[in-house]
Amino acid sequence: MQRPRHAAVLVPLVAMLAIPASAHAGPPHEHPAGDGVAEGGVAEGGAELRELPWQHSGVDVEALAAVATDGLLIDFDDDLSDEAIEAIERETGLDLEDTTKFADGNLWVLRGTPADIERAVHALKARRDIEGVEPNAVYSLFDQDLEAPVDGEPTKPAPTAPNDPMYKSQWHMKMVNAEDAWSRTRGEGVIVAVLDTGVSPGKLHGGKDSRFKRVPDLKDTEFVDGWNFVNDNADPSDGHAHGTHVAGTIAQTTNNAYGVVGLAHKAKIMPVKVLSDGGSGSVASIANGIRWAADHKAKVINMSLGGGMYSSTLAKAVKYAHDKGVTVVCAAGNGGRQKVEYPAAYDGAVAISALGPDGKLAFYSSYGKELDLAAPGGDTRVDLNKDGIPDGVLQDTIAVGDPTSHGFFPFQGTSMATPHAAAAAALVIATGVTDPDRVEKILESTARDLKDPIRYGAGALDAGAATKKGTRDHAVGGLGLAAVLAGLAVVRARKKDGLFTAARMSPGLAGALVLGSGAWMGFVPGLGIQAGVVTLLAGGAVVGMLALGFGIKALRLPLAGLAFGVAGFLLCRAALGSVDVALVPGHGWLDLAWLTVNGAVAALVGRIALAR
């Protein structure tokens, strides 16, 4: 779901900065505050008490022992040291297990009998240094995802564009308008984290072989280092098939005259194993995987997994990633009913329902008011295109039950719909739009409206329209603003002293203005993902150029053009809220302030150059 954007007003900035970074996301408004939940209050002397962690779990305190079958998950304050937690262990007599050795956060698990859990509840429930306590619930793959007939020898039609021979059977790529998107970008350089059953990279960091081989149609796909949070090691290999299939939809090797295609096939895959080879994983593993991916430069997280239980720990992890500039895309679930599962229903997640090959809601897809988009998830009961292959989502993955072999298998599910949206997000990011709220807004505003937001959210995903809007908004908006600012300044300068004529100023001013506006960036593959860095450098460029060239009369017009171009570049991105500026903490208000102030400075530099 899209988080509300703040209006473009700078006055509340100071107040926003006063909010602690660790402020923690509570449950959805409809979540019961219910039975056994401690109430906030006022301490002696009138001081307001901090809410107890039990208020965020939505679980009856007395019932925790019964439902925490995989342990009790305790989320200590992030600033609490290991030594302090060890002191708590000694004080309470509890034996806690640290789950965050390889990820940011402070999540600990208590495992034991119901009596042990009950004792822990009473020992910890009055503490103010705990942010959340809840069952270490198990999330899993959704039913239906793997219920697909396997065609071991699919037909191989004549090559099309691209030249992958089975592309013609990927009706789902045509449904999202893939070829139009590829005319602008292939997702160059964008890191997409696949939080799933794993993806076998073939080679690990240091050259060691992974547990299983990489499937052939991921051969030329670029991987970055991942992690295994199920076994706490660096090998995220997939022994199931689900994670590899999801990764293929995102970035299957394409134009290699073999197999099938991926939607963002120049993106980089970060395999993060949070589900076992059996398809299930704990809240602790998933939350740690989200934080780890966000801390290791992922720009998109795909989670084709879920469950029905609200988790404050998982909600905080999604918020953590979103606040670090990551677009988090999640499957709505395969319940076939009006209930969006978690984590898709959390604030900050983009929730995806599934379309069948007929463009209508798939029979298995969950839906509800939290939905953001619909994308193709397949229906293996039919073969509408008459190619001899069931109309699931067709990708290269390992054989179910035999990770040493592979095949091109049609799977179905919201798990298959979600990576289409994650890949489309990567394509939009590659156009230079890096703020997750703006990425989501572009995907939603360009979706084909299916007139039923409960079932389809904003509508059916259209990657072609999304990339077009991402590219056009920056190019036209930046250049247009730059031209307006330059025009106003030129008119003012000419009225003041008649120093310049239109003929003299046009070539140098116009050329530098186009350069500074960044209108050309969309034509440079791989530059879009560096938008945050480019924006930061652009802000300093005009000051540097002013220092170097201000005293040289012949450079004043080009300097003015460059300054107005950069002003348009920065102010356009401020107005759109589209860039997460490098080195500026978080995203949102601080980015807006930085872009607005530096855009105004650049415009002032342009005016000064013309005035002299």
Side-chain angles (χ1 to χ4, degrees):
M1 292 183 295
Q2 184 172 342
R3 302 179 71 225
R5 296 287 296 175
H6 299 292
V9 181
L10 297 182
V11 176
L13 179 61
V14 175
M16 291 294 293
L17 292 176
I19 297 176
S22 61
H24 125 246
H29 295 304
E30 71 271 19
H31 194 66
D35 301 335
V37 178
E39 298 291 337
V42 178
E44 292 182 14
E48 186 177 347
L49 290 176
R50 174 180 171 179
E51 290 182 328
L52 296 177
W54 322 105
Q55 289 179 283
H56 302 293
S57 68
V59 177
D60 191 320
V61 177
E62 304 306 325
L64 275 172
V67 298
T69 55
D70 198 44
L72 191 67
L73 186 62
I74 304 166
D75 185 5
F76 287 102
D77 190 300
D78 287 350
D79 295 329
L80 206 62
S81 67
D82 288 350
E83 291 74 16
I85 295 173
E86 288 172 2
I88 293 172
E89 287 184 287
R90 290 192 298 271
E91 177 186 331
T92 60
L94 301 176
D95 185 12
L96 306 178
E97 174 188 339
D98 185 7
T99 73
T100 48
K101 296 174 183 176
F102 305 103
D104 186 53
N106 222 347
L107 296 179
W108 295 66
V109 171
L110 172 71
R111 304 187 193 278
T113 66
D116 294 330
I117 301 296
E118 186 174 357
R119 184 167 62 85
V121 166
H122 291 289
L124 296 174
K125 71 179 186 178
R127 301 197 67 90
R128 298 304 199 272
D129 47 12
I130 296 175
E131 296 182 350
V133 177
E134 61 188 78
N136 189 25
V138 174
Y139 280 34
S140 64
L141 304 178
F142 299 113
D143 291 338
Q144 300 285 349
D145 283 349
L146 300 182
E147 293 182 6
V150 174
D151 191 327
E153 294 294 334
T155 57
K156 294 186 178 181
T160 59
N163 65 13
D164 306 72
M166 296 179 69
Y167 171 59
K168 94 169 184 65
S169 295
Q170 290 184 288
W171 57 269
H172 43 99
M173 292 297 174
K174 298 175 179 66
M175 183 177 280
V176 300
N177 203 7
E179 289 187 35
D180 185 37
W182 295 335
S183 69
R184 299 177 190 88
T185 178
R186 311 292 175 94
E188 288 85 355
V190 181
I191 297 175
V192 182
V194 176
L195 272 64
D196 211 289
T197 59
V199 188
S200 303
K203 292 288 184 182
L204 303 175
H205 186 75
K208 181 182 177 182
D209 289 340
S210 59
R211 179 185 172 202
F212 302 120
K213 294 180 179 179
R214 186 188 301 202
V215 296
D217 212 8
L218 285 175
K219 179 182 177 182
D220 295 327
T221 299
E222 188 170 354
F223 279 64
V224 298
D225 290 341
W227 194 259
N228 182 332
F229 282 95
V230 176
N231 300 311
D232 286 337
N233 62 48
D235 187 349
S237 288
D238 183 12
H240 184 281
H242 191 272
T244 304
H245 195 281
V246 166
T249 300
I250 296 167
Q252 202 90 74
T253 301
T254 301
N255 271 324
N256 60 339
Y258 178 77
V260 290
V261 308
L263 182 54
H265 47 265
K266 292 296 183 181
K268 302 177 182 181
I269 294 295
M270 174 187 285
V272 183
K273 187 178 179 73
V274 297
L275 303 180
S276 70
D277 291 345
S280 62
S282 69
V283 164
S285 293
I286 298 168
N288 287 332
I290 293 170
R291 288 173 175 265
W292 188 91
D295 289 340
H296 287 78
K297 301 182 180 180
K299 291 302 296 179
V300 182
I301 289 176
N302 185 102
M303 284 192 282
S304 294
L305 52 82
M309 178 180 284
Y310 175 85
S311 163
S312 63
T313 300
L314 208 49
K316 281 178 59 182
V318 170
K319 182 179 185 299
Y320 177 87
H322 181 272
D323 289 350
K324 293 202 76 168
V326 182
T327 301
V328 182
V329 188
C330 304
N334 292 347
R337 57 178 176 157
Q338 188 170 334
K339 177 177 171 55
V340 175
E341 306 284 356
Y342 298 108
Y346 293 133
D347 189 26
V350 184
I352 310 298
S353 65
L355 301 172
D358 59 357
K360 298 177 182 178
L361 189 75
F363 69 93
Y364 51 78
S365 182
S366 297
Y367 54 94
K369 62 183 176 61
E370 299 89 354
L371 271 183
D372 294 296
L373 287 165
D379 185 346
T380 59
R381 307 172 305 173
V382 301
D383 180 14
L384 299 185
N385 59 0
K386 307 299 183 185
D387 62 355
I389 301 175
D391 285 343
V393 171
L394 187 64
Q395 304 296 161
D396 186 13
T397 189
I398 61 175
V400 178
D402 183 8
T404 63
S405 63
H406 83 105
F408 297 93
F409 300 141
F411 287 179
Q412 67 180 18
T414 53
S415 283
M416 283 59 254
T418 301
H420 288 88
L427 293 174
V428 170
I429 291 168
T431 69
V433 180
T434 59
D435 182 275
D437 289 331
R438 183 62 184 173
V439 172
E440 181 181 348
K441 187 172 183 179
I442 287 176
L443 293 176
E444 292 175 356
S445 65
T446 57
R448 295 189 295 276
D449 187 3
L450 298 178
K451 310 297 183 183
D452 190 343
I454 295 297
R455 284 175 167 77
Y456 306 110
L461 178 70
D462 188 333
T467 55
K468 181 178 181 179
K469 182 171 178 58
T471 302
R472 182 190 60 202
D473 284 357
H474 278 170
V476 175
L479 188 57
L481 269 175
V484 169
L485 291 170
L488 292 174
V490 167
V491 169
R492 180 184 177 89
R494 292 183 67 190
K495 283 184 176 180
K496 183 177 179 180
D497 56 19
L499 179 62
F500 301 103
T501 67
R504 283 184 59 192
M505 76 175 64
S506 293
L509 183 65
L513 186 143
V514 171
L515 177 65
S517 73
W520 49 273
M521 287 179 60
F523 300 99
V524 182
L527 189 58
I529 187 59
Q530 304 298 332
V533 175
V534 171
T535 303
L536 183 70
L537 294 176
V542 291
V543 177
M545 288 295 292
L546 179 64
L548 293 172
F550 191 74
I552 304 173
K553 186 175 182 180
L555 293 180
R556 288 180 191 164
L557 284 176
L559 176 60
L562 180 66
F564 287 125
V566 169
F569 177 92
L570 297 175
L571 294 174
C572 170
R573 283 151 179 79
L576 293 173
S578 59
V579 175
D580 188 14
V581 183
L583 303 183
V584 175
H587 69 97
W589 280 108
L590 291 179
D591 288 323
L592 172 64
W594 191 95
L595 289 164
T596 302
V597 169
N598 283 276
V601 169
L604 180 61
V605 168
R607 286 191 58 183
I608 292 172
L610 283 181
R612 296 295 293 266

